[in-house]
Amino acid sequence: MSLDPATVRRIAKLARIHLDDDDELPRLQKELNTILGYVEQLAEVNVEGVMPLSGGMEIAMRMREDVVNDGGYPEKILANAPDRIGDFFAVPKVVE
Amino acid sequence: MSYTIEGATGPWELVIGLEVHAQIISKSKLFSGAATDFGAIENSQVSFIDAGFPGMLPVINRECVAQAVRTGLGLEAHINLVSRFDRKNYFYADLPQGYQISQYKHPIVGAGKIEIQLESGDVRTIGITRLHLEQDAGKSMHDQHASKSLVDLNRSGIALMEIVSEPDMRSPEEAGAYLRKLRTIVRYLGTCDGNMDEGSMRADVNVSVRKPGEAFRTRCEIKNVNSIRFVMQAVEAEARRQVGVWEAGGTVDQETRLFDPTRGETRSMRSKEDAHDYRYFPEPDLQPLVLDESWIEELKCSLPELPDQKYTRLMRDYGIPPYDAAILVMERSTADFYELVVRGRDGKLVSNWMLGDFFAGLNRTGRTIETSPVSANNFGYLLDLITDGTINGKIAKEILEIMIDTGEAPRAIVEARGLRQVTDTGAIDAAIAQVMEANADKVAEYRSGKEKLFGYFVGQVMKAMSGKGNPALVNEALKKKL
Amino acid sequence: MKTLDWTIVETLAALDSGQVSALELTEAHIAAVESLNPHLNAFITITSEIARKQAHAADVARRAGAAPALAGIPLAIKDLFCSENVRTTAGSKILGPFIPPYESTVSGKLFSAGAVMLGKANLDEFAMGSSNITSAYGPAANPWKRGDGAKLVPGGSSGGSASAVAARIAMGATGTDTGGSIRQPASFCGIAGIKPTYGRCSRFGIIAFASSLDQAGPMARSVEDCAVLLEVMSGFDPKDSTSADRTVPNFRAACGRNIAGMRVGIPVEYRVSGMAPEIEKLWQAGIDWLKHEGAEIFDVSLPHTKYGLAVYYIVAPAEASSNLARYDGVRFGTRVEGEDLIELYERTRAAGFGAEVKRRIMIGTYVLSEGYYDAYYLKAQKIRSLILRDFREAFANVDVLLTPTTPSAAFAIGEKMDDPVTMYLNDVFTVPASLAGVPAMSVPAGLDSCGLPLGLQVIGRHFDEESVFAIAAALERAADFRSLPALRAGATP
């Protein structure tokens, strides 16, 4: 499988990364295809009946008790914000 | 008669499925210890986890899992002993992590069902496909500032149950009845408060139309409808739109739409269109959710009586008609109130007074059973006063009004205001004599055969007695004197 | 100053005996950092004032007879661990202005044990790299030199940590390892480093790269020092669902175990074609040393080893593409404004991420996207299962595995950079243990023909770091590795 420029553009869009068409796009296309070419070898492995391993540890999840012991520090939440208005985060207006 | 929309080419049938997002009642969030109260100061109920800060990790809240299981049991659904969380990836200002933790492939609850009752009295069963756990997003406000959208993350991370129905509904009425019933069930269970106006229950409505007997046609999803009335309106509006499209020779595109209640129509939501590749994959920060059968059994044993069971029992135990029972079980608090009052009293008397004057009074003062100033005890005492003849029905109504306004006990009101029914025949006779004297002409008319005037005399006598006369005794005495 | 050459274990004894104070020790290190960091770029942020305060507190505690386990030991903290009120960058421009209002669990445990933070160590951007070249704050340098004088990479991603420890400007360091990020730089810089079992150390507060693989671990100049540090860093954390609820063994005691009768496996698949003869020779030397100490040697097979790297380069970028979605310029970090929200995202992320990070986000996004998930991601997860099964089967017969850590010694900036895959091949020996979640340690064992250090890797069963420490300590004793890097505190550069 080899990525064409349109696909690279679509992935970049999904990943929300602006790509410079003249320079970055062709370079990334080449690099991504090298990587995909390398991982192509996995096709030869027979995985019939094999369960996927998703996590680093396949044990049952621990659950915590329903207690309020976090939050309540809006100043800390907002302290790093590049833009805020009052106690809100601010972003360019979204038109829905 | 099944519901159809009459088009130019004949009748069209509706196919409706609902995806309901129900906010779980819990003290803290699904994956963090931040509080969940509604209406707090912006970004004050946010932990670093909810705000998607670097290095933050989710840890699941046992109570939220229990609530999902309870709801599943209430929907008579299959509980999956092993379920998993996935990440649903997309970018939005109120989605701090850039993904929502949800259960995509392996939900905690599988197939179940809900029975709904229609106006006609028909009962229909609507299938539940699944129920899964997920976290809510924050809230973006677009109308607070000229050039910016403002983001509050208080809601971010609150536990949601997404309850997906089968496409089993066939009319706006059924959609409304399904939602009402679902809301009743989650309220009974105490798993969701069902307040649609606060957004704690929201519905995505899937609608398609078809000619009777056909397979399903393309459906559209109407996102985030926030009242039962709007759901019913949206279904109707969207179905009519689709009939129009098909009949004009067009095709309906599968898309996400929004319902505009002021215009009563749906419109396409283009902004979300390009973002539908969610790249789901198993959430690596969380292991599989494995439930213990004995724990589920424990939860099952502690479930409250559900509305359907209660409905049957109320009719059986208290001899009330289906209509009364249906209204009483709509809210658990109403049924609870009824059962407190009815102990040792007549079932029908209690339901008549509760569903009639008492509810009217609460409505008038903008209150509910939960905020009622009239306690179940006092309400019962009022009915006792009627039963033992201390007051008559008319006075009882007046006393009930006073109780609703002041919260006072009925006996105290009766005593303080001298509202005790008059059964002293001497006093009744005196009042009758007074009325007959003042209306000598009418007495003559009556005696000459105009018997219709009897009611007039009763009214005058009661008036003279400030309404306190025992109606039976007044009638009896009047007949004698006249 | 001689103290800078001490191991942590030696230093703790010296502190306890009053031979040196924590403050003196810290001042010596601060001075060494000041003089050497301009050459090494091992630290992104230097926190001398914090270090002095912590050292002072350690002295006070020690005088009161209440010195905790690491009181006064100066460390470098990889800049992937969030430090409360100290800028934490992950080596990325996008977190340039980020000041976490919280401390990572692991660094918090170290400081509670009295450790001193000299600064935040350089790393590949978001821990993605094997060279430290991808750091937005300039590459850290390897303190070792080869004959041609070329500037060598310290390895990565924990390159700054390795560089600082090797150059004796820190006594130990925290690292994180996702596919070899502790072991490979340890090997390149001639120090020891262990990636413990997945779940042994909490990931809370460590900036995530690939959640199912990331593990914190110590880097130090001796196996025993690593054991001392790991004992403090380990332990159950209720804030990390993947943290293991297990008691922490006495790792330090394990270093002194007699290894006679222990069963050591030599995985045949690690004998890759074209392996440098000096690596092969060192590996054989390791086998001989262990035999000499009474260990039994067995050939074992891990048949899916060759697919490890390909699996890794699907799984890790996939998780990373999702983990890095939060860097969007809204709540923290650098923002580049845009006409609308989407443009803000796209410009912020285009400007904030470096080339390697973008590459991996793109690959990760692609392998998770509709229509490709099954062919790439799901398939990789299945082969990951097979790799885990390989290890389980091997460990049914042996206690540990012995392999080289890397296929070569440290390379120079500019080498191995023709294409991304050539660079990725650095991780070929370290990635399988990461995929299986088993503990693995690199021990300096010798020099290559250019005089550069080479490491041997010891891999153990899940939660059996003790066997790893026992074998690693035996190798360390036998190798008697005493060579010193050209650039180091006390030596004239």
Side-chain angles (χ1 to χ4, degrees):
Chain A
M1 252 173 283
S2 182
L3 305 185
D4 57 16
T7 309
V8 176
R9 223 174 270 125
R10 186 178 63 82
I11 302 165
K13 190 84 199 163
L14 264 178
R16 294 285 184 265
I17 295 174
H18 173 82
L19 286 191
D20 178 42
D21 266 12
D22 307 325
D23 163 36
E24 240 179 330
L25 190 125
R27 204 194 65 230
L28 256 171
Q29 186 193 350
K30 187 167 154 265
E31 290 167 350
L32 297 185
N33 279 325
T34 309
I35 299 168
L36 290 175
Y38 178 74
V39 304
E40 205 87 305
Q41 55 175 303
L42 297 185
E44 72 196 44
V45 185
N46 180 5
V47 292
E48 226 182 281
V50 178
M51 289 293 288
L53 176 63
S54 330
M57 277 215 306
E58 290 285 278
I59 54 157
M61 182 152 55
R62 212 171 31 243
M63 297 190 243
R64 58 167 233 280
E65 295 312 310
D66 184 23
V67 183
V68 176
N69 55 14
D70 206 348
Y73 38 72
E75 226 11 84
K76 287 186 177 180
I77 290 291
L78 289 149
N80 279 284
D83 189 10
R84 64 185 275 190
I85 291 174
D87 282 345
F88 292 100
F89 295 102
V91 297
K93 199 178 187 88
V94 177
V95 186
E96 271 200 335
Chain B
M1 255 285 286
S2 62
Y3 179 94
T4 51
I5 286 178
E6 207 56 42
T9 59
W12 292 81
E13 202 173 79
L14 275 61
V15 178
I16 306 152
L18 292 179
E19 288 166 26
V20 174
H21 290 90
Q23 231 174 56
I24 287 176
I25 295 176
S26 62
K27 294 188 202 82
S28 61
K29 293 182 177 179
L30 181 54
F31 296 119
S32 89
T36 57
D37 308 303
F38 179 76
I41 294 168
E42 53 270 17
N43 288 311
S44 67
Q45 294 185 350
V46 184
S47 73
F48 298 123
I49 299 164
D50 311 315
F53 270 61
M56 292 298 107
L57 297 170
V59 181
I60 201 163
N61 181 340
R62 179 193 302 277
E63 177 61 12
C64 295
V65 176
Q67 293 286 55
V69 171
R70 288 185 189 110
T71 309
L73 293 171
L75 300 173
E76 295 174 54
H78 178 75
I79 309 295
N80 292 319
L81 294 180
V82 180
S83 60
R84 258 222 88 105
F85 286 91
D86 299 284
R87 290 188 186 177
K88 177 180 181 177
N89 295 284
Y90 65 96
F91 286 87
Y92 200 63
D94 54 27
L95 188 74
Q97 295 158 307
Y99 53 84
Q100 179 193 35
I101 305 178
S102 180
Q103 296 188 301
Y104 176 59
K105 282 213 177 119
H106 305 284
I108 183 166
V109 175
K113 62 181 194 309
I114 283 186
E115 278 193 351
I116 57 169
Q117 199 168 8
L118 303 175
E119 290 270 342
S120 61
D122 289 355
V123 172
R124 287 211 55 206
T125 302
I126 307 298
I128 302 288
T129 314
R130 58 184 279 170
L131 174 156
H132 69 251
L133 276 165
E134 61 185 25
Q135 49 177 186
D136 209 344
K139 210 172 162 188
S140 299
M141 273 150 283
H142 309 301
D143 51 2
Q144 310 273 310
H145 189 275
S147 60
K148 313 242 178 185
S149 288
L150 305 184
V151 182
D152 170 21
L153 298 178
N154 278 348
R155 214 176 59 189
S156 168
I158 290 183
L160 295 179
M161 299 178 276
E162 182 172 328
I163 303 161
V164 183
S165 84
E166 291 290 313
D168 284 349
M169 286 157 273
R170 295 288 176 270
S171 68
E173 188 203 351
E174 290 183 11
Y178 169 84
L179 258 182
R180 258 193 301 273
K181 185 62 175 287
L182 179 60
R183 189 173 62 177
T184 300
I185 291 172
V186 294
R187 282 179 171 170
Y188 263 68
L189 291 166
T191 58
C192 169
D193 67 23
N195 292 336
M196 294 190 81
D197 48 353
E198 287 179 2
S200 41
M201 213 167 127
R202 319 187 280 274
D204 297 342
V205 189
N206 286 295
V207 180
S208 66
V209 296
R210 66 175 175 185
K211 291 294 184 76
E214 261 185 9
F216 293 149
R217 296 198 184 199
T218 314
R219 65 190 160 87
C220 288
E221 184 181 18
I222 312 160
K223 277 269 177 207
N224 262 324
V225 191
N226 60 9
S227 86
I228 293 174
R229 195 161 51 92
F230 289 164
V231 166
M232 295 168 69
Q233 289 173 3
V235 165
E236 167 107 35
E238 177 58 16
R240 290 194 182 282
R241 184 191 72 85
Q242 290 182 15
V243 167
V245 171
W246 290 121
E247 292 200 331
T251 49
V252 169
D253 296 327
Q254 181 162 349
E255 60 174 355
T256 306
R257 301 179 67 84
L258 273 181
F259 179 63
D260 181 343
T262 50
R263 296 174 154 209
E265 61 188 30
T266 68
R267 63 179 160 83
S268 182
M269 220 175 140
R270 255 171 239 98
S271 60
K272 289 229 170 174
E273 284 310 283
D274 66 339
H276 61 77
D277 192 342
Y278 290 126
R279 291 160 282 135
Y280 286 99
F281 75 105
E283 163 60 285
D285 287 333
L286 296 169
Q287 294 103 337
L289 178 56
V290 181
L291 304 180
D292 203 29
E293 249 170 305
S294 63
W295 188 55
I296 294 173
E297 222 26 64
E298 228 173 86
L299 292 171
K300 201 182 229 165
C301 292
S302 65
L303 282 190
E305 184 184 32
L306 287 164
D308 287 352
Q309 302 158 344
K310 202 183 279 284
Y311 170 79
T312 314
R313 187 175 58 79
L314 291 188
M315 289 194 293
R316 192 189 61 220
D317 288 2
Y318 307 113
I320 53 172
Y323 176 82
D324 288 16
I327 296 181
L328 287 173
V329 302
M330 282 216 304
E331 300 283 344
R332 184 173 164 185
S333 50
T334 307
D336 287 349
F337 191 94
Y338 175 78
E339 291 211 81
L340 280 174
V341 178
V342 81
R343 200 165 304 153
R345 300 190 175 97
D346 178 62
K348 182 68 186 144
L349 175 77
V350 178
S351 68
N352 275 349
W353 275 88
M354 241 185 99
L355 303 182
D357 292 286
F358 182 42
F359 273 19
L362 288 178
N363 265 340
R364 176 175 59 82
T365 52
R367 305 202 206 227
T368 65
I369 282 278
E370 282 95 346
T371 60
S372 164
V374 179
S375 68
N377 275 342
N378 279 340
F379 188 71
Y381 295 150
L382 176 70
L383 301 182
D384 292 345
L385 292 174
I386 302 170
T387 312
D388 69 14
T390 306
I391 55 172
N392 62 37
K394 182 155 174 295
I395 293 292
K397 287 186 189 200
E398 276 175 43
I399 295 173
L400 183 56
E401 296 288 289
I402 297 168
M403 288 166 73
I404 288 169
D405 289 332
T406 66
E408 283 174 59
R411 196 163 289 277
I413 298 170
V414 169
E415 298 308 333
R417 308 199 182 203
L419 295 174
R420 189 176 281 275
Q421 179 165 260
V422 177
T423 50
D424 169 5
T425 45
I428 293 172
D429 289 348
I432 290 173
Q434 191 196 327
V435 168
M436 286 175 67
E437 201 182 306
N439 296 284
D441 47 341
K442 291 211 167 63
V443 173
E445 280 179 51
Y446 178 83
R447 285 180 175 157
S448 64
K450 205 167 176 187
E451 287 185 7
K452 270 197 275 179
L453 278 171
F454 188 76
Y456 171 79
F457 287 113
V458 174
Q460 289 300 305
V461 171
M462 289 301 269
K463 194 174 168 190
M465 299 182 73
S466 310
K468 291 181 287 185
N470 177 309
L473 292 176
V474 168
N475 273 303
E476 199 183 316
L478 249 179
K479 271 198 181 130
K480 268 189 213 158
K481 300 277 176 196
L482 283 168
Chain C
M1 190 179 184
K2 180 75 182 105
T3 51
L4 295 175
D5 281 323
W6 289 345
T7 63
I8 292 172
V9 171
E10 289 164 349
T11 307
L12 285 169
L15 286 164
D16 284 341
S17 69
Q19 195 183 339
V20 68
S21 76
L23 197 57
E24 285 165 353
L25 185 72
T26 290
E27 289 296 354
H29 279 90
I30 290 171
V33 168
E34 277 170 6
S35 80
L36 280 183
N37 198 53
H39 303 282
L40 294 171
N41 198 27
F43 289 98
I44 292 175
T45 305
I46 295 168
T47 56
S48 306
E49 276 322 297
I50 293 173
R52 288 188 178 104
K53 267 190 212 135
Q54 289 170 327
H56 177 71
D59 282 333
V60 170
R62 189 165 266 111
R63 274 198 297 276
L70 294 173
I73 300 299
L75 302 178
I77 303 295
K78 187 179 185 180
D79 207 14
L80 201 64
F81 292 76
C82 287
S83 302
E84 190 169 1
N85 297 326
V86 176
R87 182 173 82 134
T88 299
T89 68
S92 180
K93 230 191 281 180
I94 210 159
L95 281 177
F98 178 56
I99 297 176
Y102 45 84
E103 186 75 38
S104 86
T105 297
V106 164
S107 53
K109 277 172 179 273
L110 287 168
F111 300 141
S112 298
V116 169
M117 178 167 78
L118 294 168
K120 304 299 297 284
N122 205 347
L123 70 160
D124 280 295
E125 185 179 5
F126 282 104
M128 297 179 192
S130 318
S131 64
N132 226 272
I133 292 164
T134 72
S135 169
Y137 300 88
N142 193 322
W144 292 79
K145 296 280 175 233
R146 70 182 181 202
D148 63 3
K151 204 166 179 180
L152 302 178
V153 303
S157 66
S158 311
S161 299
S163 169
V165 172
R168 277 122 177 100
I169 62 176
M171 305 203 98
T174 63
T176 63
D177 190 314
T178 305
S181 280
I182 287 175
R183 293 160 283 161
Q184 185 253 19
S187 174
F188 277 15
C189 292
I191 61 167
I194 180 168
K195 176 201 92 72
T197 311
Y198 184 85
R200 181 65 91 181
C201 293
S202 168
R203 293 185 296 116
F204 183 86
I206 300 173
I207 296 174
F209 160 19
S211 310
S212 74
L213 297 158
D214 295 345
Q215 251 304 283
M219 305 169 82
R221 292 192 293 266
S222 79
V223 171
E224 199 179 9
D225 281 4
C226 286
V228 169
L229 291 174
L230 185 60
E231 258 179 61
V232 172
M233 293 163 72
S234 298
F236 172 62
D237 182 3
K239 291 175 178 169
D240 173 2
S241 299
T242 62
S243 151
D245 193 356
R246 285 172 171 258
T247 46
V248 179
N250 187 334
F251 294 137
R252 195 172 162 188
C255 297
R257 265 189 206 172
N258 183 347
I259 64 157
M262 282 185 74
R263 300 166 70 88
V264 178
I266 309 300
V268 293
E269 289 81 5
Y270 279 60
R271 230 173 268 280
V272 289
S273 59
M275 179 186 270
E278 49 202 13
I279 302 266
E280 184 123 35
K281 216 177 99 201
L282 185 75
W283 194 5
Q284 189 52 52
I287 294 170
D288 294 341
W289 292 332
L290 295 179
K291 245 189 220 162
H292 187 77
E293 297 269 330
E296 296 173 55
I297 309 294
F298 300 88
D299 274 349
V300 297
S301 173
L302 302 166
H304 297 89
T305 297
K306 68 176 280 211
Y307 302 110
L309 209 54
V311 167
Y312 177 82
Y313 277 96
I314 290 173
V315 172
E319 292 181 14
S321 72
S322 176
N323 281 335
L324 270 60
R326 66 189 62 199
Y327 306 105
D328 59 5
V330 176
R331 283 147 291 114
F332 41 75
T334 312
R335 169 189 288 195
V336 179
E337 294 292 344
E339 279 299 307
D340 56 23
L341 185 59
I342 291 179
E343 200 181 294
L344 179 149
Y345 287 152
E346 291 180 344
R347 301 215 171 263
T348 295
R349 292 164 62 80
F353 293 138
E356 180 63 26
V357 171
K358 284 184 200 170
R359 236 177 343 250
R360 298 206 196 183
I361 291 177
M362 294 281 287
I363 280 287
T365 303
Y366 179 69
V367 299
L368 289 176
S369 68
E370 221 177 307
Y372 299 98
Y373 178 87
D374 287 1
Y376 287 109
Y377 189 75
L378 191 63
K379 178 102 193 217
Q381 294 288 47
K382 287 179 177 172
I383 302 173
R384 189 175 175 187
S385 265
L386 295 175
I387 289 170
L388 173 61
R389 190 200 287 171
D390 286 353
F391 276 102
R392 288 231 166 97
E393 284 170 3
F395 282 129
N397 299 315
V398 297
D399 299 312
V400 296
L401 303 172
L402 179 70
T403 79
T405 308
T406 55
S408 74
F411 48 88
I413 292 177
E415 291 171 8
K416 305 208 179 197
M417 288 167 198
D418 315 338
D419 69 69
V421 171
T422 311
M423 181 66 84
Y424 296 169
L425 285 169
N426 262 294
D427 302 331
V428 66
F429 296 150
T430 48
V431 149
S434 293
L435 291 169
V438 292
M441 181 165 205
S442 179
V443 200
L447 298 177
D448 76 351
S449 53
C450 304
L452 296 179
L454 292 170
L456 285 175
Q457 177 177 233
V458 183
I459 306 173
R461 295 186 184 97
H462 285 104
F463 296 105
D464 185 19
E465 287 87 355
E466 289 168 276
S467 294
V468 174
F469 277 122
I471 295 290
L475 288 171
E476 185 182 49
R477 284 192 299 271
D480 195 23
F481 183 84
R482 285 166 189 275
S483 311
L484 294 171
L487 263 180
R488 62 180 195 278
T492 7

